[in-house]
Amino acid sequence: MKQIYLDNGSTTFPKPRAVAEAVYRYLTESGSNVGRGSYGRAYAVEEQVYETRELLCGLFHGGDCRNVIFTKNVTESLNVLLKGLLRPGDHVLVSSMEHNAVMRPLTQLTRQGVSFSRILCAPDGSLLLDAMEGLLQENTRAVVMTHASNVCGTVLPIGEVGAFCRRHGLLFLVDGAQTAGVLPIDMEAMHIDALAFTGHKGLLGPQGTGGFVLGERMVPQLEPLLSGGTGSLSHTEEVPAFLPDRFEPGTLNLPGILGLRAGLLWLKETGLDGILRHELDLTERFLCGLAPLEAAGQVRILGRRGREGRTGVVSIQTLTQDLAQAAFRLDRDYGIMTRVGLHCAPSAHRTLGTFPTGTIRFSFGWWNTEEDVAAALEALTEILSRPA
C-alpha cells in the first residue's frame, strides 16, 4: 500500500536530499563547535552558520544578520521573546487564533502581572481588524500574532497589523511557524519587530532547529531568558551585550543548522512563488472535492473555501462518524497520514466552533501530487459511506 504523507503542517516530509547530506557531512567530516575551537575546521563550520544567518535575514528582509538568533524551535523562540520582553503591568493583544506556543507563555506571565486581550476572529479564522482599536489600553506594549492558522490555514493580515502597531507605538511579534518558507515575509515593510520561525516546516530543515529575527527597536528591550557559556568574553560572568551571543548560550544544534542551511539554499533555488502555487493548486482541488461531501452533510470544512488568503492546510470535521476513527482508518486502510485533534490550539478551535472535538487536518506540501489529493478524497468518501 502506498503511503501518502499529508501532515506537512506538523513537519515537512520528505526533505530535499541535500538536507540529509548536509547533516551527515557535518557529523562525519566536521564535528567541530562554533566559538570553541581555534582551528580551520571549526572556522569553516562557523562560516556556514554565518551564511545560514545571512540566508534567513535575506529571506525575511531582516536587516543585520547578527540579529538572527538560533533556538531549538519556534516554541522556544516565543518563550524567549515573551518572557524576555514583558514586565508586570504590561498588556498585549493577541488574535483568537493563536497556538499554545503563544498562549501558554502568556498565561504563565499573567501570574506575574502581565495581561492580554484577544482580538476576535471570524468563524473562518479571519482577523477582525476593526476590533483592535477598542482593545487598546494605556499599558498596551505589544501585539503578538500568528501569521497563519495551523488549524485551518487562514492567513492573518500581518502587514495591516504591523502598520497599526507602528501608528500606536507598539512592538509587533509574529509567529511564523506556518508561513516561513511558504509566504513572503518582509519584516521591514510589515513593521515586524520580532519574527519567530521554526526550521522543520516550510524551511525544510531538520527538527530541533528554529530561531527568531530581531528588529533594531526590539534589541535593547529584550532580556535573555537563558544564559551560560557562549565561547566569547570568557573572562567575565556577565552575559555578553552583543548579538547573537546575548541570546545563544550553550552549544548550538550545528548538524541541524547546517541541514537548515541546505534547506534554505534549496528554497532559494526553487523559489517560494512556485512552491506556494503548487500547494494552493492541490488545496483548491481538495476543497472542490470536499464540497459534495459537505453538501451531503458528511463533513464540515473549516476556514476559507477558496485559495485566497490561506495556506495549504485544510481541516474538516466528519459529521457521520468519530474523527479519530476516521483518521485511524485513513492511515490503516489507505496509507494516508493526517493529524487529528486540537492541534495545540484550543483558542483557534473555540473561534472556529470545533472545541473540544477538534478536526482532521490535511496539510499539503511540495512533494504531494494531484494523485495524492484524489486518493485522499476517494478514501474519505469510502470511509464516510461505510461507517465502522
Side-chain angles (χ1 to χ4, degrees):
M1 178 171 57
K2 180 184 177 182
Q3 299 290 300
I4 299 175
Y5 184 81
L6 297 180
D7 194 22
N8 290 281
S10 291
T11 191
T12 49
F13 181 83
K15 309 294 183 185
R17 185 180 181 87
V19 173
E21 290 174 345
V23 174
Y24 180 78
R25 190 161 52 248
Y26 170 82
L27 291 172
T28 57
E29 299 177 12
S30 298
S32 301
N33 283 332
V34 171
R36 274 81 168 173
S38 303
Y39 43 88
R41 202 160 72 189
Y43 297 144
V45 173
E46 189 163 1
E47 287 177 6
Q48 292 179 76
V49 172
Y50 183 81
E51 183 185 354
T52 310
R53 297 188 204 273
E54 288 187 313
L55 288 166
L56 287 162
C57 219
L59 180 63
F60 302 136
H61 301 273
D64 193 332
C65 70
R66 289 175 297 182
N67 292 11
V68 176
I69 310 299
F70 290 115
T71 64
K72 295 192 294 294
N73 47 55
V74 73
T75 299
E76 182 176 303
S77 296
L78 288 163
N79 272 267
V80 172
L81 291 169
L82 294 171
K83 294 175 181 178
L85 173 69
L86 299 175
R87 305 287 178 266
D90 286 343
H91 172 257
V92 300
L93 300 182
V94 297
S95 84
S96 67
M97 294 297 293
E98 298 306 311
H99 188 278
N100 273 346
V102 167
M103 297 316 304
R104 284 182 173 172
L106 279 181
T107 299
Q108 280 187 305
L109 286 167
T110 61
R111 302 185 189 109
Q112 300 173 22
V114 174
S115 60
F116 65 86
S117 300
R118 297 181 208 257
I119 309 160
L120 292 180
C121 294
D124 68 352
S126 303
L127 187 78
L128 301 178
L129 266 169
D130 292 343
M132 294 185 66
E133 195 86 33
L135 295 174
L136 288 175
Q137 301 178 10
E138 289 185 2
N139 59 336
T140 303
R141 190 173 181 195
V143 174
V144 185
M145 188 172 293
T146 186
H147 192 178
S149 170
N150 72 309
V151 177
C152 64
T154 299
V155 177
L156 278 64
I158 295 302
E160 289 91 332
V161 175
F164 174 92
C165 290
R166 196 52 55 98
R167 286 196 305 272
H168 291 280
L170 305 176
L171 292 168
F172 188 30
L173 286 63
V174 173
D175 173 2
Q178 291 293 320
T179 56
V182 177
L183 298 180
I185 299 175
D186 187 326
M187 290 183 65
E188 183 176 354
M190 295 173 167
H191 305 295
I192 298 171
D193 294 295
L195 174 70
F197 65 88
T198 199
H200 67 100
K201 298 188 183 187
L203 298 179
L204 301 170
Q207 285 95 330
T209 58
F212 54 91
V213 187
L214 297 176
E216 291 300 331
R217 287 204 313 161
M218 187 77 168
V219 173
Q221 302 189 56
L222 192 65
E223 286 294 320
L225 179 65
L226 304 171
S227 58
T230 58
S232 59
L233 301 186
S234 296
H235 66 283
T236 177
E237 294 175 347
E238 294 290 336
V239 176
F242 54 86
L243 302 185
D245 297 43
R246 183 166 177 78
F247 301 106
E248 283 186 354
T251 302
L252 295 174
N253 175 11
L254 293 172
I257 290 171
L258 298 196
L260 176 60
R261 171 180 171 271
L264 289 163
L265 289 170
W266 186 93
L267 281 174
K268 187 174 182 179
E269 180 180 347
T270 305
L272 263 64
D273 289 347
I275 295 170
L276 179 62
R277 185 167 55 250
H278 174 72
E279 292 180 3
L280 290 180
D281 284 346
L282 298 182
T283 301
E284 186 173 37
R285 182 177 290 268
F286 187 61
L287 288 168
C288 289
L290 287 174
L293 297 177
E294 186 172 52
Q298 294 177 303
V299 303
R300 178 190 172 202
I301 306 169
L302 285 305
R304 293 175 176 264
R305 302 309 174 91
R307 63 187 291 143
E308 298 301 320
R310 61 148 47 253
T311 64
V313 171
V314 179
S315 271
I316 66 168
Q317 285 190 310
T318 50
L319 304 180
T320 57
Q321 65 176 278
D322 179 74
L323 283 171
Q325 181 67 20
F328 171 73
R329 291 176 66 190
L330 280 169
D331 179 38
R332 182 194 64 187
D333 300 337
Y334 301 93
I336 296 170
M337 292 167 271
T338 62
R339 183 174 177 184
V340 63
L342 291 171
H343 318 306
C344 302
S347 181
H349 280 281
R350 288 187 175 95
T351 300
L352 297 168
T354 52
F355 185 86
T357 309
T359 61
I360 301 175
R361 188 182 71 180
F362 300 78
S363 42
F364 302 98
W366 172 253
W367 279 274
N368 289 126
T369 64
E370 293 181 0
E371 289 73 22
D372 293 344
V373 173
L377 288 168
E378 182 179 359
L380 195 57
T381 300
E382 290 181 5
I383 288 169
L384 296 175
S385 66
R386 296 198 305 270

